[in-house]
Structures are given as C-alpha cells and as structure tokens.
Amino acid sequence: MRVINNDEREADVSRLTCLDQLALALDCVSDAVCIFDENGLLRYVNPTFTRLYACASSDLLDQHISRVTPYSADEDSFLSSSIFARLDLEQFWSGEWAGRRKDASLFFTSADIRAILWRETRHWLCVQRSTPSPQWREEERLTIATEAAELGIWEWDVPANTFVYSTRARIICGLPLTGEVTYADVKAATHPDDFPRTSAQATRALDPLLRDRTPFEYRIVKPDGSVRWVRARGHAVFTEDNGIPHPVRYIGMIEDITERMSARLAADEGARQVQLALEAARMAIWSADLVNGTLKPSKEFNQLLGFDVDAVPTLADVETRYAPGALEAMHDRWSRAVERCASSFEADFNIQSGGDERWLHVRCEIAYASGRTPERAFGVVMDITDKRRAADALRESDARFHEAADSAPAPVWMTNKAGKVEFSNQAMADFAGMDRDAAIGDTWLSLIHPDDLPAVIEARNDAWDAGYLPYSFEARFRRADGAWRWLEVNSRPRRDADGRFKGYAGLAVDRTDARNAFATLSESEERFRLLADSAPVMIWMSDEQGACLYLNAALRHFWKVETEDLLNFDWRRTMHPDDEARITAEVARATMSARPFTVEGRYLSADGSYRIVQTRGEPRFSKSGDFLGMIGVNVDITEVVEAQERQRLLLDELNHRVKNTLAVVQSIGKQTFKPDSHPVTARDVFDARLRALAGAHTLLTQSNWDNTCLHHLVDMAVLVCADARSRVYVSGPDVALTPKQALSLALALHELCTNAVKHGALSNDRGRVVLEWRQNEKQLELAWREQDGPEVEPPRRKNFGSRLLERIVPQDVRGRASLHFDNVGVRYELALPLEGAV
C-alpha cells in the first residue's frame, strides 16, 4: 500500500480546486461549451449547451458527441476522422456543423475546438454559437476535412466517361496539375498488377444491386517510376429511368498510405524472418525466475522437452527430463559460471523423452540481484541431436573406411589438406610395386603418363580453387610390370564434424579392358542410333531399374530433350498426374518381372499440351540371360482416341436430343388438339408453337447445345410481335441458360408475345410491354408486365396457354411462376434456379 504524504494531498486538493473553478467559469459563459475526450465521449457540458440542445446534462455526459449531430454513420465517421486529424496536427479546428435537439429539430452552429489538459489528460474544449443563416455546403465541409487529412477528391462522370481530380488527388496519383484527366490517364497511373482489382471494385460499386463502398488499397506508378501505396474509398450515385437505376457518378477520396504500408510490410516480413529462423534452427525461447523456480517457455520449448504445447512446467519439471548423469554435470557447470558471476551460460546436455534420447544446446543470459545471487535467466535452447549423431557417424565411418580400404582390391588412398598422400591401401602399393610407406607424399604423380599429367594437375587445381569439390579423371598409370593401364580416378573431399576440409579420399578402377570393349561397342551403338534416329516412330531404351538410357530423335523432339540431358531426364515427370500411379505401377511390374507390356496414358509434350501415347516395351537380355532393361516404342494416338470419344458423345447426345424433342412435340400436340378445338385454329397454333421450339433449337444448335444467352432467346421470341416490337421494353443482365431452360422459356415467351399481340397490350396502338429480369447467385427472376392495353378480363376457364405458363414451364425448369390478369394488363412472374445453384 502506498502512503500519500501531505504535499501530495495538498497538490490533489489544489488540482481538484482548479478543475472546479474551470467548470464554474464555463458554467457562466453565454456560448455553448462542452469538453470531450480523445474518443469523442462528452465529459462536461455547460448550461447553455444543454439549453441549445434541449437535453439534460445526464442525457449527454459519457455519450459520444455524434449523439447530438444529424449525420449518418458514414458521414459522422468521415467528419470525425477529418476533424480529429486536423486537431492532432494543429491542436485547433474551426468550422460549422449541424446539431440535433432532443425533439429531432435541426440547427446550425459555428464551432471552435482547442486542446486542453483536463484531469491530467488531453481533452478537447468546444465552444459553439448558433448561426441564424448557415452557409452549410457539402463542398466546404469536404474541403475542410480533406485538407486536414491530406485527402484527395475524385469524381467520375460515368455516362460521359470524364474525370475530375482535386489538386491533392492529382499530386497523390502523379497526374498533371492542370488539364483534363482521362480514363487512360487513370489506368496508366495504376500499377498493372493492381488494375484488374481496382476495375473489379468499380464494377461492384456501379452495380445497382451491389453498390459496394468497400475501401480498397492499391499501388500508383508515378511518372518518375516511383511506386506509392494509396487507399481509396467512394460510392456511386444512381438515377432511375423507367424504374431502372443507372449509375451517373462515382465519387470518392484517396490518400497516400505508403509509409504506413511500408511499416506494415516490414513488420510482417520481420516476423516471418524471425519465425523462419527459429524453425530452421529448431530453436526455442524461454525465460526463468531463478528465485521462485518458475519458467516461461515457448511452445517450441515444450515440444523439445516433451511437454504438452500449452503446459507451464517448472524448473523442477525440466530437471526430470535430464538423462542419467546429465543433471549433475549441468549443475556443476552452472555453479562454476555463477561463482565467477558470468553474464552468460552455454552448454550441451542430453535428455530422455518418450524413450528417445535427444541432445540439446542451451545458451542464456544471467541477471544477478544484489549479493551476486542469480535472479533471472533468459535464452534459447536448440536440438543438436542430428548434429551430434552426424559427428559420431562421421568418426565411425572414417574408421570403417580405413578398414575397408585396406582390404579393397582396387587402389585406395587419402591425402592431407596439401594434397600429399598420407594413407594408401595394399592394392595401391602392389600396383606401383613399392612399400606402402614409399607411396606416401607425391609419389603417385610419377606413375602418370607424361601426356596425361598436365590435364590431371589442372583438374585437381580447379577442384581446389572451387572450394575443394569432388573431381574425377581418367589417365594412364604405369603398373609395376611396366604396362600402361587406364585408371578411372575418383576423389572426394574429407571433412570433419564441423565441415572443415581435411583432404581427399580417392579410388582408382582399372578401365583398360572396358575401354577396349567400349570402342567396339561404340561402333555398334552408332549404327543403332543412326537407324533409330531415322525411324518415324518414337523409340526408347531403359536400364534394369527403369531409368532412361536412350531416346531416338522423334521422341527427343516430342519431349524436347537434348542428347546431353538424357542421363538426368526422368520421363515420369511428363505423365499426367491422374495417370502417373497407374502407368508407373504397370511399368515397374513389367520391369521387375522382365516381361513385355503395353500401356496407354497422357504425357506432356514439348508444346505444353497433353498427348495420349501408347507405349509398348520388350525386355532386353544379355547373352548370359541377364536382364538389361527395356526397349520399346511410343505411338501418339491422341487423334484416334479423341475421334472415338467424339463419335460416342455425338451418338449419346443425338439420342438424348431426339427423345427430348419428341417428348416436347408430343406434349404440345396433346395440349393443342383438343376434341373441342377448331382444326384450322389448332393447326395454326400448333405450327406457331413448333416454330418457337424450332427457333430455340436453332439458337442451341448455333451454340453447339451449350448454354444459350437469354438476350438472344428474347430477341427471337419478340419477332412474333412484328411492328409492335418497338413497344416491348427489355432489360436485364446477360444470363446463360441450359438447353432445357432455353426450350421451356422459348415456349413461355412465345405464348406471352402471341397473347399480347392478339388480345393484350400490343393489340392497340398505345399499349406496351415491359420484360425485365435480374439474377443473384442462386436464381433468375423474370417479370412480364403489360400496360395501357385493352381492359383485361380473366379467362373463364384455363386453356393450354395458362397451363403452359403456370404449370408446365415452372415444373420443367424446377422453378415457380404466377400469372395475374390485372385490369391494367397481364402480369407474369417466373423464378428458376441458375445452373449449379442448390
């Protein structure tokens, strides 16, 4: 508990007295005065303020100042942010705004706002005076707000496709300060990677169904090539034409947020880098209270020590994880570090977790209290198990190498960092005809043929200069009997557990007999390659493991593989993902059992397309019957397969279309030719309906029986209106209809147009029809309204047309419909689900 002394008590009384005196003074002011905090909450109002707003002080205190303004939420947020931005910058704001009394009546005031220190924190003192004749114009408010917040204003006249940019907006976007701003200027100023997104945002804003106002961020490319980040927000203004809304203006504001965006990106990048570094090093962070024995571990720390991710273990809990003997060793090292007041501590120790032994490395900083007592420690711990195991394995491998090399039949040696031999096996001594000790040093250079020695030394020096890389060469060496033998020499660098270079280990293999045989084989293979490369089919050869050995010219061209890249080429990477498992398994089975195989699949060709290839493979055997691999041919059968598939699909589609068409014709005939219908009239009606059906079929045929545009279907249907087509007003977005929906809507529209011409709004000279539709993500809603035609009388009985519109069409398209015979004209509404909607 803190005791307040007399001086502090007198200071508090003095401060409260000052506050009371300020309130008393403001209570006597004739202007309306309020004090609000930086969150906009009212903390004081004087009597004039309560009279002006016709509210009690209890209704106002601790309320947001927006409560006494008439603005919408968006306007209030905009004005508040603009005014506070000016206040933060200059500590002062002066202007006009509107007020709202408790009875909802409006009035206008001029206001002055200044920063004051109120209750030891910054507040805002606002003095208001009522203005009898306010000049409250939107342009002035926007000018004040945008200047304070350094915002630019822009406006797009959508019908004229012209733009107006304020001076600040031009500066932000890098546009000329004078002259006309065109659409091309706006597009050129927008970063090309961001323009599709900003264009999509404008489309959503101008859509009367969406009217999106979401702020969006994008990049501006200025004339000097510099890139700036900006944030824009705006809204579209619409007007209505015959009840249909159209965008006329798109207005908004823009601000430069480059510094904020750079800071945000830098912070995100820094966090990612730290996390990646911790993950790459398998490192965990921790801190400990050494006095109380408590620990604050990271999740990675708990994982390394075998605790639950969200656990909070103590130091005693951690000690239970030590392997036998490790805890005592750590205590000993820690005690010695504390005795000398070491500021840091570092050690390796092993733990046992889940029956597995792991090695960890800990490093920490130590904070001491008075009396040289360690108080806190904080640091990192990382898993070094793999590193220690690698070091142990390297030492064991080195020992095994010496043992194996000494018993190997081929010459084996090791050099030091200077390149001098420090170990040679017995086979090397036997080849050179000297003691093993005599082979130490540079003696091996004297065994190389003089014509081959310069190339050997050059290969070794290049490997050294490049950082002690592996290197290989073939050269002639003099054997003990004086014969020159071709040896293939492979040298690999030796490194210690820390990766430091220690020298080379080498192995020599006698290739003399193989080179002689290879010369003979090369001639035979050259004849084979000439024959295979001239063949019109794709020929390949693999080894006993299935790896590619040879591709003829046709197959190299198909896969675009250079001859020098054959050894690194993997034909499996060209398979289609859906075929890879099947083809790989079939080829593997055939290779393991050395049997012929035939398989078909899709392969990626050099032109970037997948081709269907039939592969046939035959096993190859040596003279002794050993399996050597496969040889085979690939045949591109893409055109054949596609032709067969097209033929099958055409037959299926033809059967389906014929059945559907016959069913529709049968239904039309059944509903048209009734026993009480006049033969000639029924025939004419039947013919007209068949023509409507035929027209829809024509549209579907033109689109290959794919989705059909509703606009095209409507254009075809209103042809029956003849000269009255100009009195049919059509509006709606582009909508794709399935073949089934197109056929049903064609019949429905034909029925509506025919009835309108014969009996409805198009039967006189002044009637008109409005056909409009709209769509959302789930359905299409279509409405037919007739106006200014003859007075409508509902039919006494429902004929085929009514049943078609009310029952047959909605049932066919899985929708719902309603038909109304209003006095002003027929009204028909149809709603149907869009393709893919649930």
Side-chain angles (χ1 to χ4, degrees), residues 554-584:
L555 193 47
R556 292 198 303 274
H557 177 73
F558 177 83
W559 275 323
K560 199 175 181 180
V561 180
E562 302 297 334
T563 304
E564 58 270 20
D565 297 331
L566 279 179
L567 294 180
N568 297 322
F569 175 68
D570 186 357
W571 59 273
R572 300 172 184 84
R573 293 199 300 266
T574 68
M575 288 187 292
H576 192 283
D578 295 343
D579 298 342
E580 182 177 359
R582 173 178 56 84
I583 296 176
T584 303

Side-chain angles (χ1 to χ4, degrees), residues 644-654:
Q644 292 173 347
E645 180 64 17
R646 284 195 299 270
Q647 185 179 31
R648 184 186 65 79
L649 291 175
L650 286 173
L651 289 175
D652 291 345
E653 185 63 25
L654 180 60

Side-chain angles (χ1 to χ4, degrees), residues 77-88:
S77 175
F78 173 75
L79 289 174
S80 297
S81 61
S82 302
I83 293 172
F84 274 110
R86 187 66 171 267
L87 289 172
D88 285 337

Side-chain angles (χ1 to χ4, degrees), residues 104-116:
S105 62
L106 301 180
F107 61 96
F108 296 89
T109 66
S110 63
D112 294 321
I113 304 176
R114 296 179 182 274
I116 65 169

Side-chain angles (χ1 to χ4, degrees), residues 735-754:
V735 178
L737 301 174
T738 65
K740 188 172 185 179
Q741 292 172 334
L743 290 175
S744 298
L745 281 180
L747 292 175
L749 292 173
H750 171 78
E751 196 69 27
L752 291 168
C753 290
T754 301

Side-chain angles (χ1 to χ4, degrees), residues 755-756 758-768 786-795 820-827:
N755 289 338
K758 289 183 177 181
H759 315 291
L762 302 182
S763 63
N764 60 20
D765 294 335
R766 60 188 183 85
R768 60 194 182 99
E786 297 184 18
Q787 301 172 359
D788 301 330
E791 186 174 349
V792 175
E793 294 183 4
H820 305 277
F821 295 92
D822 300 335
N823 291 334
V824 296
V826 173
R827 178 165 50 89

